[in-house]
Amino acid sequence: DGEPVVVEEPPPPPPEPSTTTPIEPVQVQDALDADSKLRQRRVFFGFDSSNVEEDFRQLIQAHASYLQGNPNANITLEGHTDERGPREYNLALGERRARAVRQLLIVQGVSPNQIRFISYGEENPVALGHEEASWSQNRRVEIVYAWQ
């Protein structure tokens, strides 16, 4: 009579299996790196030009296809110039270059909401020399991925 009664409750049921597997940014990055075209993320330009040369159109098409198939992927287009010319002019030129790449991506079906752009002008060179070999490496748009 005086002994307590212990009632054991059954264990909770296991959680329902998830129907979606979250994709880690590292896995998405690996997917980008596996495709030779997508590994290339720099579009180069001629002196004082924002015209995208034919050589880079397939590269832009590859990134457009990837972005269309991955709506959670976003990019920032970073416009750069070489050191020649006034700072304000180079900022505007870097922006024109980024906008040119952006326009080609949009024409190929990428949502404008997936694309940001910024100009660094001459502020972030990848080559530090003061000759054409360095300048040609600095006249570029870099495609930088981010995921939501």
Side-chain angles (χ1 to χ4, degrees), residues 5-26:
V5 178
V6 177
V7 178
E8 289 188 31
E9 294 192 25
E16 291 292 318
S18 174
T19 57
T20 60
T21 305
I23 297 176
E24 298 295 321
V26 173

PDB file of all heavy atoms in Angstrom, residues 5-26:
ATOM      1  N   VAL A   5       4.319   4.086  -6.737  1.00  0.00           N
ATOM      2  CA  VAL A   5       4.217   3.407  -8.020  1.00  0.00           C
ATOM      3  C   VAL A   5       4.971   4.242  -9.057  1.00  0.00           C
ATOM      4  O   VAL A   5       4.710   5.434  -9.224  1.00  0.00           O
ATOM      5  CB  VAL A   5       2.746   3.235  -8.440  1.00  0.00           C
ATOM      6  CG1 VAL A   5       2.661   2.578  -9.802  1.00  0.00           C
ATOM      7  CG2 VAL A   5       1.991   2.454  -7.398  1.00  0.00           C
ATOM      8  N   VAL A   6       5.922   3.625  -9.737  1.00  0.00           N
ATOM      9  CA  VAL A   6       6.699   4.318 -10.771  1.00  0.00           C
ATOM     10  C   VAL A   6       6.132   3.907 -12.116  1.00  0.00           C
ATOM     11  O   VAL A   6       6.044   2.720 -12.428  1.00  0.00           O
ATOM     12  CB  VAL A   6       8.195   3.955 -10.680  1.00  0.00           C
ATOM     13  CG1 VAL A   6       8.965   4.628 -11.800  1.00  0.00           C
ATOM     14  CG2 VAL A   6       8.746   4.329  -9.320  1.00  0.00           C
ATOM     15  N   VAL A   7       5.714   4.903 -12.864  1.00  0.00           N
ATOM     16  CA  VAL A   7       5.186   4.653 -14.207  1.00  0.00           C
ATOM     17  C   VAL A   7       6.220   5.174 -15.208  1.00  0.00           C
ATOM     18  O   VAL A   7       6.557   6.351 -15.191  1.00  0.00           O
ATOM     19  CB  VAL A   7       3.826   5.357 -14.410  1.00  0.00           C
ATOM     20  CG1 VAL A   7       3.328   5.122 -15.828  1.00  0.00           C
ATOM     21  CG2 VAL A   7       2.838   4.901 -13.377  1.00  0.00           C
ATOM     22  N   GLU A   8       6.719   4.292 -16.036  1.00  0.00           N
ATOM     23  CA  GLU A   8       7.684   4.726 -17.054  1.00  0.00           C
ATOM     24  C   GLU A   8       6.924   5.112 -18.312  1.00  0.00           C
ATOM     25  O   GLU A   8       6.066   4.378 -18.775  1.00  0.00           O
ATOM     26  CB  GLU A   8       8.657   3.597 -17.367  1.00  0.00           C
ATOM     27  CG  GLU A   8       9.618   3.332 -16.241  1.00  0.00           C
ATOM     28  CD  GLU A   8      10.699   2.350 -16.653  1.00  0.00           C
ATOM     29  OE1 GLU A   8      11.065   2.318 -17.850  1.00  0.00           O
ATOM     30  OE2 GLU A   8      11.165   1.631 -15.774  1.00  0.00           O
ATOM     31  N   GLU A   9       7.289   6.291 -18.818  1.00  0.00           N
ATOM     32  CA  GLU A   9       6.666   6.739 -20.066  1.00  0.00           C
ATOM     33  C   GLU A   9       7.462   6.191 -21.238  1.00  0.00           C
ATOM     34  O   GLU A   9       8.681   6.059 -21.159  1.00  0.00           O
ATOM     35  CB  GLU A   9       6.620   8.267 -20.120  1.00  0.00           C
ATOM     36  CG  GLU A   9       5.705   8.854 -19.070  1.00  0.00           C
ATOM     37  CD  GLU A   9       5.451  10.324 -19.319  1.00  0.00           C
ATOM     38  OE1 GLU A   9       5.553  10.774 -20.468  1.00  0.00           O
ATOM     39  OE2 GLU A   9       5.140  10.997 -18.341  1.00  0.00           O
ATOM     40  N   PRO A  10       6.770   5.865 -22.332  1.00  0.00           N
ATOM     41  CA  PRO A  10       7.517   5.375 -23.497  1.00  0.00           C
ATOM     42  C   PRO A  10       8.408   6.494 -24.047  1.00  0.00           C
ATOM     43  O   PRO A  10       8.110   7.676 -23.906  1.00  0.00           O
ATOM     44  CB  PRO A  10       6.423   4.987 -24.501  1.00  0.00           C
ATOM     45  CG  PRO A  10       5.219   5.755 -24.076  1.00  0.00           C
ATOM     46  CD  PRO A  10       5.356   5.967 -22.591  1.00  0.00           C
ATOM     47  N   PRO A  11       9.525   6.135 -24.678  1.00  0.00           N
ATOM     48  CA  PRO A  11      10.399   7.170 -25.247  1.00  0.00           C
ATOM     49  C   PRO A  11       9.670   7.915 -26.367  1.00  0.00           C
ATOM     50  O   PRO A  11       8.763   7.371 -27.004  1.00  0.00           O
ATOM     51  CB  PRO A  11      11.592   6.378 -25.794  1.00  0.00           C
ATOM     52  CG  PRO A  11      11.101   4.990 -25.976  1.00  0.00           C
ATOM     53  CD  PRO A  11       9.990   4.789 -24.957  1.00  0.00           C
ATOM     54  N   PRO A  12      10.043   9.174 -26.593  1.00  0.00           N
ATOM     55  CA  PRO A  12       9.393   9.926 -27.672  1.00  0.00           C
ATOM     56  C   PRO A  12       9.709   9.293 -29.021  1.00  0.00           C
ATOM     57  O   PRO A  12      10.747   8.655 -29.179  1.00  0.00           O
ATOM     58  CB  PRO A  12       9.996  11.330 -27.561  1.00  0.00           C
ATOM     59  CG  PRO A  12      11.280  11.144 -26.828  1.00  0.00           C
ATOM     60  CD  PRO A  12      11.094   9.945 -25.950  1.00  0.00           C
ATOM     61  N   PRO A  13       8.810   9.464 -29.992  1.00  0.00           N
ATOM     62  CA  PRO A  13       9.073   8.882 -31.314  1.00  0.00           C
ATOM     63  C   PRO A  13      10.276   9.587 -31.951  1.00  0.00           C
ATOM     64  O   PRO A  13      10.566  10.745 -31.651  1.00  0.00           O
ATOM     65  CB  PRO A  13       7.790   9.158 -32.102  1.00  0.00           C
ATOM     66  CG  PRO A  13       7.150  10.304 -31.398  1.00  0.00           C
ATOM     67  CD  PRO A  13       7.565  10.212 -29.969  1.00  0.00           C
ATOM     68  N   PRO A  14      10.987   8.910 -32.844  1.00  0.00           N
ATOM     69  CA  PRO A  14      12.130   9.555 -33.516  1.00  0.00           C
ATOM     70  C   PRO A  14      11.626  10.704 -34.392  1.00  0.00           C
ATOM     71  O   PRO A  14      10.491  10.687 -34.868  1.00  0.00           O
ATOM     72  CB  PRO A  14      12.748   8.432 -34.361  1.00  0.00           C
ATOM     73  CG  PRO A  14      11.668   7.418 -34.514  1.00  0.00           C
ATOM     74  CD  PRO A  14      10.765   7.566 -33.306  1.00  0.00           C
ATOM     75  N   PRO A  15      12.457  11.709 -34.604  1.00  0.00           N
ATOM     76  CA  PRO A  15      12.027  12.832 -35.453  1.00  0.00           C
ATOM     77  C   PRO A  15      11.786  12.366 -36.876  1.00  0.00           C
ATOM     78  O   PRO A  15      12.403  11.417 -37.347  1.00  0.00           O
ATOM     79  CB  PRO A  15      13.197  13.821 -35.378  1.00  0.00           C
ATOM     80  CG  PRO A  15      14.370  13.027 -34.916  1.00  0.00           C
ATOM     81  CD  PRO A  15      13.824  11.865 -34.139  1.00  0.00           C
ATOM     82  N   GLU A  16      10.875  13.051 -37.533  1.00  0.00           N
ATOM     83  CA  GLU A  16      10.582  12.748 -38.934  1.00  0.00           C
ATOM     84  C   GLU A  16      11.822  13.033 -39.773  1.00  0.00           C
ATOM     85  O   GLU A  16      12.500  14.035 -39.561  1.00  0.00           O
ATOM     86  CB  GLU A  16       9.417  13.618 -39.434  1.00  0.00           C
ATOM     87  CG  GLU A  16       8.075  13.273 -38.823  1.00  0.00           C
ATOM     88  CD  GLU A  16       7.577  11.918 -39.269  1.00  0.00           C
ATOM     89  OE1 GLU A  16       7.698  11.576 -40.465  1.00  0.00           O
ATOM     90  OE2 GLU A  16       7.079  11.174 -38.403  1.00  0.00           O
ATOM     91  N   PRO A  17      12.102  12.179 -40.741  1.00  0.00           N
ATOM     92  CA  PRO A  17      13.264  12.474 -41.594  1.00  0.00           C
ATOM     93  C   PRO A  17      12.996  13.735 -42.427  1.00  0.00           C
ATOM     94  O   PRO A  17      11.879  13.976 -42.877  1.00  0.00           O
ATOM     95  CB  PRO A  17      13.392  11.233 -42.486  1.00  0.00           C
ATOM     96  CG  PRO A  17      12.091  10.522 -42.379  1.00  0.00           C
ATOM     97  CD  PRO A  17      11.440  10.952 -41.087  1.00  0.00           C
ATOM     98  N   SER A  18      14.027  14.497 -42.600  1.00  0.00           N
ATOM     99  CA  SER A  18      13.911  15.735 -43.374  1.00  0.00           C
ATOM    100  C   SER A  18      13.824  15.399 -44.855  1.00  0.00           C
ATOM    101  O   SER A  18      14.518  14.515 -45.349  1.00  0.00           O
ATOM    102  CB  SER A  18      15.135  16.624 -43.118  1.00  0.00           C
ATOM    103  OG  SER A  18      15.091  17.747 -43.955  1.00  0.00           O
ATOM    104  N   THR A  19      12.962  16.110 -45.558  1.00  0.00           N
ATOM    105  CA  THR A  19      12.830  15.879 -46.997  1.00  0.00           C
ATOM    106  C   THR A  19      13.819  16.730 -47.783  1.00  0.00           C
ATOM    107  O   THR A  19      14.043  16.493 -48.947  1.00  0.00           O
ATOM    108  CB  THR A  19      11.401  16.185 -47.477  1.00  0.00           C
ATOM    109  OG1 THR A  19      11.090  17.529 -47.121  1.00  0.00           O
ATOM    110  CG2 THR A  19      10.410  15.234 -46.856  1.00  0.00           C
ATOM    111  N   THR A  20      14.394  17.730 -47.129  1.00  0.00           N
ATOM    112  CA  THR A  20      15.389  18.551 -47.808  1.00  0.00           C
ATOM    113  C   THR A  20      16.686  18.491 -47.019  1.00  0.00           C
ATOM    114  O   THR A  20      16.686  18.490 -45.794  1.00  0.00           O
ATOM    115  CB  THR A  20      14.940  20.021 -47.920  1.00  0.00           C
ATOM    116  OG1 THR A  20      14.744  20.536 -46.611  1.00  0.00           O
ATOM    117  CG2 THR A  20      13.665  20.154 -48.724  1.00  0.00           C
ATOM    118  N   THR A  21      17.756  18.398 -47.726  1.00  0.00           N
ATOM    119  CA  THR A  21      19.070  18.400 -47.105  1.00  0.00           C
ATOM    120  C   THR A  21      19.680  19.767 -47.321  1.00  0.00           C
ATOM    121  O   THR A  21      19.827  20.192 -48.468  1.00  0.00           O
ATOM    122  CB  THR A  21      19.963  17.327 -47.754  1.00  0.00           C
ATOM    123  OG1 THR A  21      19.283  16.076 -47.677  1.00  0.00           O
ATOM    124  CG2 THR A  21      21.308  17.249 -47.070  1.00  0.00           C
ATOM    125  N   PRO A  22      19.987  20.462 -46.229  1.00  0.00           N
ATOM    126  CA  PRO A  22      20.587  21.780 -46.436  1.00  0.00           C
ATOM    127  C   PRO A  22      21.951  21.633 -47.107  1.00  0.00           C
ATOM    128  O   PRO A  22      22.696  20.703 -46.826  1.00  0.00           O
ATOM    129  CB  PRO A  22      20.714  22.348 -45.027  1.00  0.00           C
ATOM    130  CG  PRO A  22      20.633  21.178 -44.112  1.00  0.00           C
ATOM    131  CD  PRO A  22      19.864  20.113 -44.827  1.00  0.00           C
ATOM    132  N   ILE A  23      22.241  22.533 -48.011  1.00  0.00           N
ATOM    133  CA  ILE A  23      23.520  22.518 -48.715  1.00  0.00           C
ATOM    134  C   ILE A  23      24.439  23.506 -48.018  1.00  0.00           C
ATOM    135  O   ILE A  23      24.112  24.678 -47.878  1.00  0.00           O
ATOM    136  CB  ILE A  23      23.346  22.904 -50.196  1.00  0.00           C
ATOM    137  CG1 ILE A  23      22.477  21.874 -50.897  1.00  0.00           C
ATOM    138  CG2 ILE A  23      24.691  23.030 -50.882  1.00  0.00           C
ATOM    139  CD1 ILE A  23      22.173  22.214 -52.324  1.00  0.00           C
ATOM    140  N   GLU A  24      25.548  22.998 -47.566  1.00  0.00           N
ATOM    141  CA  GLU A  24      26.530  23.862 -46.918  1.00  0.00           C
ATOM    142  C   GLU A  24      27.245  24.680 -47.989  1.00  0.00           C
ATOM    143  O   GLU A  24      27.513  24.171 -49.078  1.00  0.00           O
ATOM    144  CB  GLU A  24      27.553  23.021 -46.157  1.00  0.00           C
ATOM    145  CG  GLU A  24      26.950  22.201 -45.034  1.00  0.00           C
ATOM    146  CD  GLU A  24      26.375  23.072 -43.936  1.00  0.00           C
ATOM    147  OE1 GLU A  24      26.982  24.098 -43.607  1.00  0.00           O
ATOM    148  OE2 GLU A  24      25.306  22.722 -43.419  1.00  0.00           O
ATOM    149  N   PRO A  25      27.591  25.934 -47.690  1.00  0.00           N
ATOM    150  CA  PRO A  25      28.318  26.740 -48.671  1.00  0.00           C
ATOM    151  C   PRO A  25      29.577  26.063 -49.180  1.00  0.00           C
ATOM    152  O   PRO A  25      29.916  26.180 -50.340  1.00  0.00           O
ATOM    153  CB  PRO A  25      28.645  28.024 -47.909  1.00  0.00           C
ATOM    154  CG  PRO A  25      27.562  28.125 -46.889  1.00  0.00           C
ATOM    155  CD  PRO A  25      27.242  26.700 -46.505  1.00  0.00           C
ATOM    156  N   VAL A  26      30.258  25.305 -48.332  1.00  0.00           N
ATOM    157  CA  VAL A  26      31.469  24.631 -48.772  1.00  0.00           C
ATOM    158  C   VAL A  26      31.149  23.645 -49.890  1.00  0.00           C
ATOM    159  O   VAL A  26      31.855  23.549 -50.877  1.00  0.00           O
ATOM    160  CB  VAL A  26      32.151  23.912 -47.584  1.00  0.00           C
ATOM    161  CG1 VAL A  26      33.314  23.065 -48.053  1.00  0.00           C
ATOM    162  CG2 VAL A  26      32.610  24.933 -46.557  1.00  0.00           C
TER     163      VAL A  26
END
